[in-house]
């Protein structure tokens, strides 16, 4: 069925860079987005496109509101929803004190499914239509998140966490079960509708060499799956990994030598890399997930966007809930601005939006399907209404340009301002 959506349309065509290049974005003040069977068929001036619509095509009126692509969260743990905002620790102690105990509960599939339902509804409420998600070590927790995403028609990447040492007994798998369970889940879910599988070793500290070898074997055998893990997040973590893997040049070198550094490898954090690491990541076609709220909350460090982009690495934005403190990509963009500002780097609104849409789609190698409004892409989009909360309405009234409005929405907006989320052309229902 053909559908049309009229409003102020904004999307990225390329990376606007640190100066917010106008040529990298398209803004159509009175625009029309036309979809057919969940796919974008055209985007342009409403006055040009309205006459060509079929007589019975419904036109949804979002005049005065902003239509942008759905947000893409490049790294998040659905199982950590209930420990978001837990006090006091840096990474390794935080894992022991909060993350591992809450993940134990996901052996129970009913619990996993109920968290997955809440989690995905909360993503949609916040305008996030696609995410790369860590489940837990329990295969049933992977079934739960995929089934919940399938019910909502969402494009989603997820995988079973692999961890066989330096973690509580109840959360351990083995090199053999890691291989067999991942393969069974891949067969069941990878490429089913809009779902994709990620081989998910938690991080080098919680996998034995034998398990990393299993993961690397899977990564070679199934090159169109993703590899999703953590990299160089925290100094203490890095010191431990250097002890566990002596003789490796760097943390990244561990992943590389086990065959986990390749296209469709997505590494969360990437805070402590050197030029050699960055060059290697770029050469191998791996991507980085920038997790500002997590990096600040856990006291991990500051992500160097400039160096990553200069090296030619694709970067997408991510919440990393529950180390991250917000499900909102608007909040994540505003914290990204601050992280970069502290380092003398700038993040104009258009580039912040890029990192949460087309840039994130590129990082996940999903830009043929999502990320902007190019005809042929899937119709995942959201409607932002500056009038939907008091402070954004007031600030919008004095905004002189779209750029100023967007920047204010990034800092002041929240889920109240996201008045509709469309997935595959359908309006998402959540309570
Ligand atoms: N490194 C290994 N596991 C985790 C996790 O659950 N969260 C974060 N932020 N870093 C990790
Ligand atoms: Zn994480």
């Amino acid at each position: 069925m053909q559908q049309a959506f009229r409003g102020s349309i904004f999307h990225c065509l390329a990376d606007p860079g640190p100066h917010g290049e106008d040529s990298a974005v398209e803004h159509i003040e009175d625009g029309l987005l036309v979809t057919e069977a969940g796919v974008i068929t055209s985007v342009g001036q409403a006055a040009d496109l309205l006459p060509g619509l079929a007589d019975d095509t419904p036109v949804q009126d979002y005049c005065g509101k902003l239509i942008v692509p759905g947000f893409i969260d490049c790294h998040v743990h659905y199982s950590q929803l209930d420990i978001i905002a837990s006090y006091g620790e840096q990474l390794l102690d935080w894992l022991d004190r909060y993350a591992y105990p809450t993940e134990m509960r996901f052996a129970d599939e009913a619990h996993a499914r109920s968290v997955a339902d809440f989690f995905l509804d909360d993503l949609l409420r916040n305008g996030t239509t696609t995410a790369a998600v860590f489940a837990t070590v329990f295969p049933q927790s992977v079934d739960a998140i995929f089934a919940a995403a399938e019910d909502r028609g969402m494009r989603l990447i997820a995988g079973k966490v692999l961890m066989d040492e330096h973690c509580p007994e109840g959360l351990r798998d083995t090199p053999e079960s890691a291989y067999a369970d991942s393969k069974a889940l891949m067969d069941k879910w990878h490429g089913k509708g809009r779902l994709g599988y990620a081989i998910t070793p938690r991080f080098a500290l919680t996998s034995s060499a034998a398990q990393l070898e299993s993961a690397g074997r899977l990564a070679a055998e199934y090159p169109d799956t993703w590899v999703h893990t953590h990299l160089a997040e925290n100094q203490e973590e890095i010191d431990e990994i250097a002890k566990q893997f002596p003789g490796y040049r760097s943390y990244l070198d561990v992943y590389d030598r086990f065959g986990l550094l390749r296209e469709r490898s997505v590494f969360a954090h990437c805070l402590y890399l050197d030029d050699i690491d960055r060059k290697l990541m770029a050469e191998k076609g791996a991507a980085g997930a920038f997790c500002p709220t997590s990096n600040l909350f856990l006291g991990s460090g500051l992500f160097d966007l400039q160096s990553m982009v200069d090296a030619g690495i694709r970067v997408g934005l991510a919440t990393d809930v529950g180390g991250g403190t917000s499900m909102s990509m608007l909040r994540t963009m505003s914290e990204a601005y601050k992280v970069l500002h502290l380092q003398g780097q700038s993040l104009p609104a258009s580039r912040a939006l890029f990192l949460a849409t087309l840039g994130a789609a590129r990082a996940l190698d999903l830009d043929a399907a999502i990320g902007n409004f190019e005809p042929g892409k899937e119709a995942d989009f959201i409607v932002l209404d500056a009038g939907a909360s008091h402070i954004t309405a007031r600030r919008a009234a004095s905004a002189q340009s779209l750029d100023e409005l967007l920047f204010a929405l990034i800092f002041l907006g929240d889920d109240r301002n996201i008045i509709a989320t469309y997935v595959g052309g359908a309006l998402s229902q959540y309570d």
Side-chain angles (χ1 to χ4, degrees):
M1 185 189 81
Q2 192 178 53
Q3 291 178 278
F5 305 87
R6 184 173 185 175
S8 171
I9 293 175
F10 184 85
H11 65 142
C12 294
L13 308 171
D15 182 356
H19 307 297
E21 295 298 333
D22 286 344
S23 60
V25 302
E26 182 174 43
H27 177 223
I28 311 165
E29 182 64 48
D30 181 14
L32 198 73
L33 183 70
V34 186
T35 70
E36 177 90 48
V39 171
I40 295 160
T41 52
S42 50
V43 61
Q45 299 287 347
D48 295 340
L49 294 176
L50 282 169
L53 294 180
D55 287 346
D56 60 350
T57 297
V59 180
Q60 181 69 45
D61 182 1
Y62 289 124
C63 290
K65 301 172 180 49
L66 205 52
I67 300 175
V68 303
F71 298 142
I72 300 166
D73 185 341
C74 288
H75 173 78
V76 58
H77 303 250
Y78 95 85
S79 58
Q80 295 174 3
L81 195 65
D82 291 329
I83 51 127
I84 188 171
S86 288
Y87 180 79
E89 309 292 357
Q90 289 210 355
L91 178 65
L92 298 180
D93 294 326
W94 176 87
L95 287 171
D96 286 337
R97 183 166 169 196
Y98 301 116
Y100 295 152
T102 206
E103 291 184 23
M104 297 272 197
R105 302 179 64 199
F106 287 72
D108 173 0
E109 186 160 2
H111 173 72
R113 181 58 201 249
S114 96
V115 177
D117 283 330
F118 187 101
F119 172 83
L120 292 184
D121 281 348
D122 214 49
L123 285 188
L124 293 168
R125 188 180 295 116
N126 281 288
T128 300
T129 49
T130 283
V133 182
F134 262 56
T136 69
V137 73
F138 306 109
Q140 55 272 36
S141 70
V142 184
D143 286 330
I145 190 74
F146 276 136
E150 189 175 41
D151 283 355
R152 289 163 178 77
M154 292 174 77
R155 183 168 277 288
L156 193 105
I157 296 170
K160 184 197 112 65
V161 176
L162 314 180
M163 46 202 293
D164 68 345
E165 61 182 25
H166 300 129
C167 61
E169 193 59 44
L171 282 177
R172 289 185 198 187
D173 56 4
T174 67
E176 296 73 29
S177 71
Y179 183 92
D181 289 344
S182 299
K183 187 165 158 19
L185 287 163
M186 236 180 242
D187 290 344
K188 187 168 173 185
W189 295 108
H190 184 61
K192 186 169 189 222
R194 304 185 77 194
L195 308 175
Y197 194 82
I199 301 155
T200 309
R202 182 172 208 117
F203 63 153
L205 194 59
T206 46
S207 285
S208 63
Q211 181 166 81
L212 291 177
E213 200 271 322
S214 285
R217 200 145 36 89
L218 283 166
E221 288 169 0
Y222 301 94
D224 70 333
T225 58
W226 284 262
V227 171
H228 188 189
T229 188
H230 298 92
L231 171 65
E233 175 178 4
N234 168 288
Q235 201 56 62
E236 202 185 331
E237 167 210 22
I238 291 167
D239 294 344
E240 287 301 315
I241 281 161
K243 275 191 237 156
Q244 188 175 325
F245 293 95
Y248 289 77
R249 198 200 73 80
S250 67
Y251 193 158
L252 183 69
D253 188 35
V254 176
Y255 292 140
D256 186 28
R257 281 165 57 183
F258 285 99
L260 294 166
L261 176 58
R262 63 150 166 69
E263 277 168 19
R264 294 203 165 184
S265 291
V266 179
F267 296 108
H269 307 300
C270 303
L271 301 185
Y272 302 99
L273 303 180
D274 62 16
D275 287 343
I276 298 172
D277 287 330
R278 281 188 287 261
K279 186 162 177 285
L280 188 65
M281 256 184 92
E283 275 168 13
K284 297 278 181 108
F290 175 13
C291 311
T293 73
S294 170
N295 296 159
L296 295 173
F297 181 70
L298 293 177
S300 301
L302 303 177
F303 183 86
D304 182 352
L305 180 65
Q306 183 81 51
S307 296
M308 295 289 278
V309 171
D310 285 353
I313 299 165
R314 288 167 293 126
V315 172
L317 209 53
T319 64
D320 192 30
V321 163
T325 49
S326 174
M327 295 286 284
S328 165
M329 291 299 281
L330 293 173
R331 192 74 326 93
T332 306
M333 287 181 234
S334 66
E335 296 301 288
Y337 173 89
K338 295 176 193 171
V339 163
L340 297 174
H341 209 34
L342 273 168
Q343 300 171 91
Q345 299 182 26
S346 51
L347 184 65
S350 60
R351 194 183 213 191
L353 197 89
F354 170 81
L355 290 174
T357 57
L358 183 61
R362 286 181 178 171
L364 297 180
D365 195 22
L366 289 176
D367 51 311
I370 53 173
N372 65 7
F373 294 144
E374 261 176 51
K377 291 197 184 181
E378 296 157 0
D380 290 353
F381 60 93
I382 64 177
V383 183
L384 281 164
D385 180 6
S389 68
H390 290 95
I391 187 69
T392 52
R394 187 173 179 94
R395 182 62 185 84
S398 63
Q400 301 292 314
S401 65
L402 177 77
D403 206 51
E404 195 180 329
L405 173 66
L406 256 183
F407 192 74
L409 272 173
I410 286 170
F411 273 80
L412 304 170
D414 56 39
D415 57 318
R416 289 170 297 174
N417 302 96
I418 294 164
I419 59 163
T421 299
Y422 286 84
V423 170
L427 181 62
S428 292
Q429 305 293 338
Y430 38 82
D431 18 82

